[in-house]
Amino acid sequence: MSLRTFLLLISVLALETSAGTIDRRALTLRNSPHITSVDTLASLTVGNGGFAFTADVTGLQSFPEYYSNGVPLGTQSDWGWHSFPNPDGLRLEEAMKDYDFGRGRTEPYAVEFKEPGRQRDAATWYRVNPHRLHLGAIGFAGLKPDMVKDIDQTLDVGRGMLESSFTVDGRHVNVTTSCHPDIDMVAASINTDTLLPVAIRLPYPTGKHCDDACDWNADSRHITEIISSTPGHAILRHSLDSTVYYIDLAWENADVPVMAARNEVRLTPTSGKWSFTATFTPNRPNVTPIAADNVHSAAAGWWQRFWNDGGVVDFSHCTDPRAAELERRVVLSQYLLAAQCAGDTPPQETGLTYNSWFGKFHMEMIWWHQAQFALYGHDDLLMRTLPWYGKAADIARSIARRQGFDGLRWMKMTDPSGLEAPSKVGSFLIWQQPHLIYLAELLYRSNPSEGFLRQYYPLIEETARFMESFAEKDNATGRYFLRGIIPAQETLRAAETINPPFELSYWHFGLSTAQKWRERMGMPRDTARDAMIASLSPLAALDSLYLAAESAPQTYHDVRFTSDHMAVLAALGVLPKCPLVQEDIMYSTFDWIYDNWNWDHTWGWDYPTTAMNAVRLGEPEKALNALLMDKRTNTYLPNGHNYQDGRLRCYLPGNGGLLTAVALMCAGWDGCDTTNPGFPKDGSWDVRWENIKPLP
């Protein structure tokens, strides 16, 4: 290379670097939530992905009862689970019911029962148990919401630091709250003119479907004890039925804690400048206490690296008036998912804020929560969770064998054990099945290492084996079809549904990707699998519109088929183009759905689904319109949470779907040669981004 060429290259690279540099600190600062009044839908979270602490305007959890019907003040972890006693010895097998889907055998599924008896009792017990625990509310004792004035609270998402300022009886209180990035520890530093004691209150679980998991009126059923106490350090033990966990409490400038009630410990300051840390552990801790200031520093360092190293999008150069709100949603979604949905088990739909579906996680949602981590350069966060599949493989294998299938069957609603939670819907879903293949593929594309291939190839192969054994061949036509399922559009029935479009396309993608993994492992392609891929049923259409299923010719005349998830659009959008999809029919289908869908009966991830389909079809304006549609389930609260309704005040699959859609809008997909394909080219969307990867 000549000197002139070398200097020219350096100049070009310097120009590109300068033009592409985003001020990441400014990006996070202008989108950090700022709260000035008590708002039960504006609570704020600090967390490390597998442990989270959600606070009210005091920077602590002073008003858990008051916030219980808003965005609750949870302290939750990946490991914190509890089961009620099972004195009758109910067994999961008693919650099974045999179904005949025409495969020449009956298949047992764990379902819910209406009729009284052991079957219903077993189904109810295993649906409720285990449930996720609220590990304890830590807040100022004796305060009421109307006593807190002059509120000025900011969550600095760039540093993972919650700064809360307020007055009580005219006296100032300042609280800094953070969560240690590597330990399930919350830290608070308090500067105040009034010595407010702090109460650690331990609730008993409710076992309800969707709530804050706090029964404050069941003291006789559990007990909290101070089992060790020295100046500046104490260990609390909380025992509830067969579950026991610990809180390692450390402080500066406070008295030794005392029991204020059977399940309340009180810590009283001796100075206007004081601090404490609380570490939650499943086993008795044996650690050296960490000062609160050191926790704040560790949190700030971790979050600064998160923002500096990962992908970001800057909308500040856009003139479209919607751009600022879209940027806010993107930044806060990145924060929330990293704080709440990056642990060693798959996330629940309400993250670590409060319980939904008893705190269990839904495996069809893992893609919506976590695919974005790989796309935004946070492979390490997805890699925290993905090993769970290996831990649950034996259970997944037993479920497949019980029903007469090969390989591993990944269930929809489960817990850390991987067991199938009884459900009249969830037990029949299958679109969670290829998610492992998709997520592993995203990680391999980021870092194509032989070690990663060897680690995940066996799981991918067995996942694909189930998919092969689940698909059936129609000997008359030679095509393969899917049945005996409730599809992603959950208004369809398992006994009636044949060939839902998203599932067919996902089978094509999953099996095709599994073949790539065989080749990467130096193995020949599976010829039988190739034959199945080539013979999968094409998506069924009528009058140039794709049907909700081949078995649903009434799709566009029955509200049941035009409500809930418009899953047909995911067949091209979430997934890349495949031979089963005709683009002209998909285009007509998109237009019909865009204009006619029952948008008031949708969920938070339906808007990103629609947007991704629009982007791949070359309709960026409609993609933006879908992403920013003014509907209740597309509401994003001041804290960034995607609000659904009075039951689901936060819904993190919507946040993750938003991030994945924006990644597609920015970086496109394999073979896409359009810059920023998801944004109009009218000059109003000067979108700048860095470190985002294309989708398949």
Side-chain angles (χ1 to χ4, degrees):
M1 180 185 298
S2 69
L3 178 61
R4 182 174 180 275
T5 303
F6 176 78
L7 293 174
L8 179 61
L9 178 61
I10 291 296
S11 299
V12 170
L13 290 174
L15 180 62
E16 289 179 348
T17 301
S18 174
T21 298
I22 293 172
D23 187 338
R24 295 168 182 236
R25 183 61 181 145
L27 176 70
T28 58
L29 281 174
R30 66 176 176 260
N31 290 290
S32 290
H34 182 216
I35 307 300
T36 57
S37 63
V38 176
D39 180 352
T40 61
L41 290 174
S43 51
L44 300 169
T45 298
V46 292
N48 61 24
F51 169 83
F53 179 91
T54 300
D56 56 34
V57 292
T58 68
L60 299 176
Q61 298 163 327
S62 304
F63 314 124
E65 292 94 338
Y66 189 77
Y67 276 70
S68 63
N69 292 319
V71 176
L73 309 180
T75 304
Q76 294 195 331
S77 70
D78 281 343
W79 53 261
W81 294 79
H82 167 266
S83 290
F84 294 127
N86 181 10
D88 296 326
L90 299 167
R91 295 176 293 109
L92 182 58
E93 291 76 12
E94 295 176 283
M96 299 290 174
K97 183 177 179 180
D98 288 336
Y99 289 81
D100 185 351
F101 292 122
R103 297 187 179 101
R105 64 179 186 274
T106 57
E107 302 166 22
Y109 290 81
V111 296
E112 300 163 85
F113 291 85
K114 294 181 180 179
E115 304 79 11
R118 281 189 67 90
Q119 281 189 311
R120 186 173 74 174
D121 293 346
T124 300
W125 195 89
Y126 280 96
R127 186 165 167 80
V128 172
N129 297 289
H131 42 263
R132 200 181 301 258
L133 282 169
H134 188 306
L135 298 173
I138 304 177
F140 291 111
L143 282 190
K144 295 181 179 179
D146 60 3
M147 297 169 63
V148 180
K149 309 293 184 182
D150 306 312
I151 296 164
D152 186 1
Q153 183 180 53
T154 299
L155 173 60
D156 183 346
V157 297
R159 298 188 303 139
M161 205 78 66
L162 180 58
E163 302 282 358
S164 308
S165 175
F166 55 95
T167 61
V168 176
D169 295 330
R171 297 183 178 184
H172 287 279
V173 183
N174 294 284
V175 182
T176 299
T177 316
S178 68
C179 175
H180 196 284
D182 304 312
I183 305 169
D184 294 347
M185 173 190 289
V186 62
S189 298
I190 302 165
N191 276 306
T192 176
D193 298 331
T194 179
L195 301 183
L196 297 172
V198 162
I200 300 98
R201 300 171 60 201
L202 288 299
Y204 191 74
T206 65
K208 291 185 178 180
H209 179 275
C210 189
D211 72 345
D212 63 356
C214 293
D215 184 346
W216 298 110
N217 299 303
D219 267 356
S220 63
R221 302 184 66 178
H222 63 124
I223 187 167
T224 304
E225 303 163 278
I226 301 173
I227 62 172
S228 173
S229 182
T230 59
H233 186 226
I235 298 175
L236 317 183
R237 180 173 62 204
H238 189 205
S239 305
L240 50 170
D241 304 313
S242 61
T243 299
V244 177
Y245 64 92
Y246 299 84
I247 303 174
D248 188 299
L249 192 63
W251 61 89
E252 294 180 354
N253 298 328
D255 283 331
V256 173
V258 297
M259 297 299 306
R262 180 178 170 89
N263 289 291
E264 179 180 332
V265 176
R266 192 160 294 189
L267 188 63
T268 302
T270 57
S271 167
K273 183 176 182 180
W274 70 291
S275 63
F276 68 87
T277 63
T279 306
F280 295 80
T281 64
N283 303 302
R284 179 165 178 160
N286 183 22
V287 296
T288 302
I290 302 173
D293 284 347
N294 291 338
V295 178
H296 301 328
S297 296
W302 191 93
W303 282 102
Q304 287 166 355
R305 290 189 295 274
F306 173 86
W307 292 109
N308 288 335
D309 297 344
V312 293
V313 191
D314 180 355
F315 292 89
S316 64
H317 301 276
C318 303
T319 57
D320 189 296
R322 300 171 294 175
E325 172 59 14
L326 183 54
E327 181 183 89
R328 183 186 77 90
R329 295 183 183 191
V330 168
V331 169
L332 295 185
S333 294
Q334 288 182 272
Y335 176 83
L336 286 170
L337 289 159
Q340 300 202 42
C341 298
D344 58 15
T345 62
Q348 71 166 321
E349 298 194 22
T350 43
L352 296 171
T353 305
Y354 73 103
N355 279 1
S356 54
W357 288 273
F358 313 101
K360 290 181 165 67
F361 38 86
H362 289 170
M363 294 308 298
E364 89 278 24
M365 288 292 103
I366 188 173
W367 188 93
W368 295 93
H369 286 107
Q370 295 191 316
Q372 54 83 25
F373 285 141
L375 299 172
Y376 285 77
H378 300 297
D379 297 13
D380 57 321
L381 300 187
L382 177 53
M383 278 303 300
R384 292 180 182 177
T385 309
L386 215 62
W388 176 85
Y389 279 98
K391 297 173 185 175
D394 287 344
I395 296 294
R397 188 176 297 108
S398 69
I399 293 171
R401 288 178 178 172
R402 184 187 80 211
Q403 296 171 348
F405 300 111
D406 298 332
L408 304 171
R409 180 169 194 168
W410 305 110
M411 296 313 302
K412 175 251 200 313
M413 181 173 165
T414 186
D415 58 72
S417 73
L419 287 172
E420 174 185 6
S423 172
K424 62 185 178 182
V425 173
S427 293
F428 302 99
L429 294 184
I430 62 165
W431 66 283
Q432 69 276 8
Q433 183 67 23
H435 280 346
L436 169 62
I437 298 175
Y438 199 132
L439 295 173
E441 178 68 8
L442 290 180
L443 287 174
Y444 180 79
R445 287 156 60 100
S446 297
N447 181 24
S449 72
E450 184 176 344
F452 184 76
L453 274 179
R454 293 189 178 280
Q455 181 180 359
Y456 283 95
Y457 170 74
L459 289 172
I460 286 175
E461 183 64 17
E462 284 201 79
T463 298
R465 290 294 179 202
F466 171 83
M467 296 168 68
E468 290 173 315
S469 67
F470 190 88
E472 299 175 70
K473 187 174 184 179
D474 180 349
N475 291 324
T477 63
R479 67 184 178 124
Y480 287 88
F481 64 98
L482 304 176
R483 65 172 166 180
I485 53 177
I486 293 178
Q489 189 175 351
E490 293 182 7
T491 55
L492 280 67
R493 302 183 180 103
E496 303 169 354
T497 301
I498 298 174
N499 284 339
F502 177 40
E503 284 75 2
L504 277 173
S505 296
Y506 214 172
W507 247 236
H508 191 284
F509 176 84
L511 293 175
S512 298
T513 304
Q515 291 286 65
K516 291 181 183 178
W517 276 64
R518 288 181 63 88
E519 292 178 308
R520 291 167 183 161
M521 290 290 294
M523 302 170 64
R525 293 176 68 90
D526 185 316
T527 55
R529 184 175 297 167
D530 272 338
M532 178 177 285
I533 293 168
S535 301
L536 283 168
S537 298
L539 276 56
L542 183 65
D543 298 328
S544 296
L545 295 173
Y546 279 128
L547 300 175
E550 187 176 318
S551 51
Q554 71 274 48
T555 291
Y556 297 96
H557 308 286
D558 186 335
V559 69
R560 178 160 68 96
F561 298 100
T562 56
S563 300
D564 196 65
H565 308 301
M566 61 293 295
V568 60
L569 299 187
L572 179 62
V574 170
L575 300 174
K577 177 77 167 61
C578 80
L580 307 183
V581 178
Q582 290 183 237
E583 199 163 298
D584 57 338
I585 299 178
M586 184 60 79
Y587 199 103
S588 300
T589 305
F590 168 82
D591 277 346
W592 193 97
I593 289 173
Y594 185 84
D595 293 335
N596 300 288
W597 197 259
N598 293 305
W599 289 103
D600 292 326
H601 294 84
T602 52
W603 295 67
W605 57 270
D606 291 324
Y607 306 96
T609 298
T610 305
M612 286 187 277
N613 182 266
V615 174
R616 297 225 196 214
L617 291 173
E619 291 285 354
E621 183 63 45
K622 289 183 177 179
L624 279 166
N625 292 343
L627 212 56
L628 293 163
M629 196 176 293
D630 186 14
K631 295 293 179 182
R632 185 193 72 246
T633 52
N634 200 34
T635 300
Y636 283 74
L637 298 173
N639 49 26
H641 276 300
N642 178 207
Y643 178 92
Q644 301 296 284
D645 55 26
R647 181 185 64 163
L648 289 171
R649 284 89 69 193
C650 67
Y651 185 67
L652 287 158
N655 297 89
L658 166 75
L659 293 179
T660 302
V662 170
L664 185 72
M665 296 165 79
C666 292
W669 56 92
D670 296 344
C672 174
D673 56 5
T674 302
T675 302
N676 286 0
F679 298 98
K681 302 301 185 285
D682 59 4
S684 63
W685 286 93
D686 181 6
V687 179
R688 306 182 185 188
W689 53 270
E690 295 171 356
N691 299 353
I692 299 177
K693 299 178 180 65
L695 274 73

